[in-house]
Amino acid sequence: RGLGDVYKRQVLVVLHKPQIRERIQCSSYSFAKTNRESILGTLSAGLLFGILYLVCAVIGAREMVFTVQGGLHCLNLLAFLMVVLGIVFLIGQVMKKVETVSMVSNVIALGMSFLSGVFVPIEFLGDGIIKAAHFLPAYWYIMGARLIDSGNYQSSPDLLWRYMGIEVLFAACFVSVSYTHLTLPTIA
């Protein structure tokens, strides 16, 4: 979370400063190219952090990482990483103040964690909360992780791929909304 905040503050938010935005608009550098590079930069930073996480996992639990379950967890992590990067890109496009970015990031992260079964096991959540959690990408990540941990992915591999596919669709939606938002004014 800390490294992600540094990235969001230093890179994405600075592009919303009026002086920078005006310079980009009057240069021959196209707006589309700036935004494409912004999403590629977000992807690169996220993949770097994901690789760093995996290296730490290999150092700490080598025997667990190099198994079928470990590989599936890595794929599930990659799918959820795309979701997180999509959210980061969306927040970076919508918000222009560092304080607002931090506040919104915390609300989204903690809200999804509580409602999706990260902090509180799904068994203890009410039916209404679980139904609402279906609209959150973290829920599908948790469901995939639970399926992998239980070993039931072998009897229903299509279910695991469906969970990961839903995560990737959420990521695509966040990036699409980000690009759609580019023509709208930013929020303070």
Side-chain angles (χ1 to χ4, degrees), residues 50-71:
I51 290 169
L52 181 65
Y53 176 80
L54 290 175
V55 167
C56 291
V58 167
I59 291 170
R62 177 182 302 262
E63 65 280 349
M64 294 176 71
V65 174
F66 294 112
T67 63
V68 172
Q69 280 184 315

Side-chain angles (χ1 to χ4, degrees), residues 32-166:
K33 190 171 183 180
T34 303
N35 291 318
R36 185 174 50 250
E37 288 177 359
S38 182
I39 188 69
L40 290 174
T42 304
L43 263 173
S44 299
L47 289 175
L48 179 69
F49 294 138
I51 290 169
L52 181 65
Y53 176 80
L54 290 175
V55 167
C56 291
V58 167
I59 291 170
R62 177 182 302 262
E63 65 280 349
M64 294 176 71
V65 174
F66 294 112
T67 63
V68 172
Q69 280 184 315
L72 290 173
H73 274 299
C74 289
L75 285 174
N76 196 28
L77 175 69
L78 181 65
F80 193 66
L81 179 63
M82 295 299 118
V83 170
V84 171
L85 294 176
I87 292 171
V88 165
F89 189 66
L90 177 60
I91 291 171
Q93 294 299 320
V94 175
M95 305 296 164
K96 63 180 177 178
K97 288 187 179 175
V98 173
E99 298 81 20
T100 312
V101 169
S102 294
M103 180 185 66
V104 170
S105 299
N106 286 331
V107 168
I108 291 172
L110 291 173
M112 274 202 305
S113 296
F114 276 109
L115 297 174
S116 300
V118 175
F119 292 145
V120 179
I122 292 175
E123 295 82 24
F124 298 124
L125 298 175
D127 291 338
I129 299 288
I130 292 173
K131 286 180 184 176
H134 282 75
F135 292 99
L136 301 172
Y139 172 81
W140 300 103
Y141 171 76
I142 293 299
M143 293 306 293
R146 289 171 56 114
L147 186 66
I148 295 166
D149 286 341
S150 70
N152 291 336
Y153 63 90
Q154 294 170 335
S155 61
S156 56
D158 59 322
L159 189 59
L160 179 60
W161 296 116
R162 190 175 316 144
Y163 292 159
M164 287 189 224
I166 291 170

